[in-house]
């Protein structure tokens, strides 16, 4: 069986620095996909670029905010999100109605399509729709994808979980994952075979070489089928923030800009593709 790799840049629309990095990488063919965060401050500029350049995007389904003090606002005006998308996970778990989640997902999709963008897949910000919070929001995500005939970022194998936790995961977790996979398959939603992203904070990464080796090793170990590798490339903001977690985004931008992942994929016989590969599978 052949090995295919999607190289995706998340958070298109997050801010000007994220947009500039992603546009550069798209125009230099250094990534094959991007995911648009419709509730973010610079989402309109991201959609405008997508429309002007006929660049398909994923809808980066989002039901939480990254910052308690600067909450992203709902596009659907549903009651669960009337005070903004929650930053506190307890609010998300205990105060959010599934019907409101479904309405919000639809509005984020329509934000892109109504403004002339084309959506080629769906994925999720911060894994809030994957069932790990105990809510069955994954059903709403699968129903959304089935309705719009979109492939979805959810891995069919347990390798992603093991990479994220850095160890073998309990059998009960694997069974839960397979239950979610079956829910997607029941609805005819196409999913990834594997998924790769670096989960480490900057305190563990330390430097560019460490992060680059992580991603190169992931290319070396691609499974048969379709793997997506997602990063969050961005330009620097200011010196203070570059000392914190934003620096990881800057390092991921430098890794993608170097073209080393594309070169390694070529060396290893891994075919680099976009989400359009699902139209042929």
């Amino acid at each position: 069986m052949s090995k295919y790799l999607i190289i995706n840049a998340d958070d298109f629309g997050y801010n000007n620095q994220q947009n500039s990095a992603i546009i550069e990488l798209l125009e230099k063919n250094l990534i094959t996909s991007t995911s648009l965060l419709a509730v973010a401050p610079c989402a309109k500029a991201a959609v405008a670029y997508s429309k002007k350049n006929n660049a398909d995007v994923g809808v980066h389904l989002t039901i939480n905010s990254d910052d308690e003090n600067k909450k992203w606002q709902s596009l659907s005006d549903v009651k669960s999100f009337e005070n903004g998308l929650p930053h506190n996970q307890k609010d998300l778990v205990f105060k959010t109605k599934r019907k409101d989640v479904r309405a919000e997902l639809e509005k984020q999709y329509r934000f892109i399509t109504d403004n002339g963008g084309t959506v080629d897949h769906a994925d999720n910000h911060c894994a809030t729709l994957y069932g790990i919070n105990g809510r069955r929001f994954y059903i709403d995500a699968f129903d959304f994808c089935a309705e719009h005939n979109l492939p979805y970022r959810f891995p069919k194998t347990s390798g992603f979980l093991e990479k994220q936790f850095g160890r073998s995961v309990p059998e009960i977790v694997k069974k839960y994952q397979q239950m979610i996979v079956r829910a997607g398959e029941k609805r005819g939603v196409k999913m990834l075979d594997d998924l790769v992203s670096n989960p480490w904070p900057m305190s563990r990464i330390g430097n560019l070489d460490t992060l680059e080796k992580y991603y190169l090793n992931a290319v070396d170990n691609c499974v048969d089928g379709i793997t997506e590798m997602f990063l969050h490339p961005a330009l620097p903001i200011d010196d203070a923030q570059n000392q914190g977690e934003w620096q990881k985004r800057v390092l991921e931008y430098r890794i993608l800009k170097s073209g080393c992942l594309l070169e390694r994929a070529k060396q290893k016989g891994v075919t680099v593709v976009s989400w359009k590969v699902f139209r042929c599978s």
Side-chain angles (χ1 to χ4, degrees):
M1 188 174 179
S2 299
K3 298 180 179 182
Y4 299 96
L5 177 64
I6 299 168
I7 302 179
N8 187 85
D10 271 12
D11 291 355
F12 197 21
Y14 194 94
N15 59 18
N16 289 327
Q17 289 77 13
Q18 199 92 28
N19 280 9
S20 295
I22 290 173
I23 288 171
E24 178 186 356
L25 295 169
L26 284 170
E27 292 184 344
K28 292 182 178 179
N29 296 314
L30 294 170
I31 55 176
T32 58
S33 173
T34 186
S35 303
L36 199 150
L37 209 166
V39 296
C42 295
K44 287 185 178 180
V47 175
Y49 176 86
S50 171
K51 177 183 178 181
K52 181 179 179 180
N53 294 276
N54 295 315
D56 293 355
V57 296
V59 54
H60 199 48
L61 301 171
T62 305
I63 58 171
N64 72 294
S65 292
D66 284 357
D67 190 333
E68 175 68 36
N69 298 316
K70 297 179 181 178
K71 287 183 179 179
W72 291 322
Q73 297 304 303
S74 163
L75 300 186
S76 57
D77 296 322
V78 294
K79 186 170 180 59
S80 294
F81 302 137
E82 62 184 351
N83 295 316
L85 301 180
H87 176 261
N88 187 312
Q89 290 303 304
K90 289 184 179 179
D91 289 343
L92 186 63
V93 172
F94 295 111
K95 297 182 180 180
T96 304
K97 296 182 182 297
R98 284 184 52 198
K99 66 176 183 179
D100 290 348
V101 168
R102 183 66 179 83
E104 182 64 24
L105 304 188
E106 186 66 26
K107 281 291 187 178
Q108 291 178 18
Y109 173 80
R110 293 297 176 189
F111 172 84
I112 297 173
T113 58
D114 289 352
N115 284 288
T118 302
V119 177
D120 62 4
H121 76 281
D123 51 44
N124 177 215
H125 188 64
C126 295
T128 52
L129 301 175
Y130 291 166
I132 60 176
N133 52 20
R135 296 296 304 273
R136 300 178 76 225
F137 296 146
Y138 60 88
I139 295 295
D140 306 298
F142 282 139
D143 286 344
F144 163 82
C145 289
E147 180 178 338
H148 296 290
N149 193 28
L150 295 173
Y152 188 49
R153 176 190 285 168
F154 195 86
K156 292 186 286 186
T157 64
S158 62
F160 175 71
L161 295 173
E162 294 171 350
K163 289 189 286 284
Q164 292 301 100
F165 289 108
R167 60 181 184 276
S168 297
V169 295
E171 284 302 314
I172 191 171
V173 175
K174 294 180 182 180
K175 289 180 180 179
Y176 185 50
Q177 181 204 20
Q178 288 305 303
M179 180 193 73
I180 295 174
V181 169
R182 288 193 295 272
E185 291 176 336
K186 180 180 179 181
R187 290 162 175 77
V189 177
K190 295 182 178 180
M191 289 168 281
L192 300 161
D193 293 289
D194 200 10
L195 186 60
V196 175
S197 190
N198 182 281
W200 302 340
M202 275 303 301
S203 59
R204 179 174 177 181
I205 293 168
N207 56 52
L208 177 66
D209 288 345
T210 299
L211 191 57
E212 184 177 282
K213 287 177 182 176
Y214 180 94
Y215 283 116
L216 289 173
N217 183 65
V219 176
D220 294 345
N221 291 283
C222 274
V223 302
D224 288 340
I226 303 171
T227 297
E228 184 197 26
M229 178 181 292
F230 69 92
L231 299 85
H232 302 80
L235 300 181
I237 294 182
D238 58 50
D239 291 340
Q241 285 179 288
N242 286 340
Q243 300 305 314
E245 292 307 311
W246 191 264
Q247 179 64 13
K248 182 177 180 179
R249 296 186 180 230
V250 177
L251 294 182
E252 291 190 337
Y253 161 71
R254 291 174 60 187
I255 290 169
L256 290 169
K257 186 176 179 180
S258 75
C260 65
L261 302 182
L262 296 174
E263 181 60 30
R264 182 61 65 89
K266 183 177 180 180
Q267 292 171 1
K268 296 295 181 177
V270 178
T271 303
V272 178
V273 295
S274 72
W275 278 88
K276 292 184 179 69
V277 70
F278 280 96
R279 298 177 187 172
C280 305
S281 63

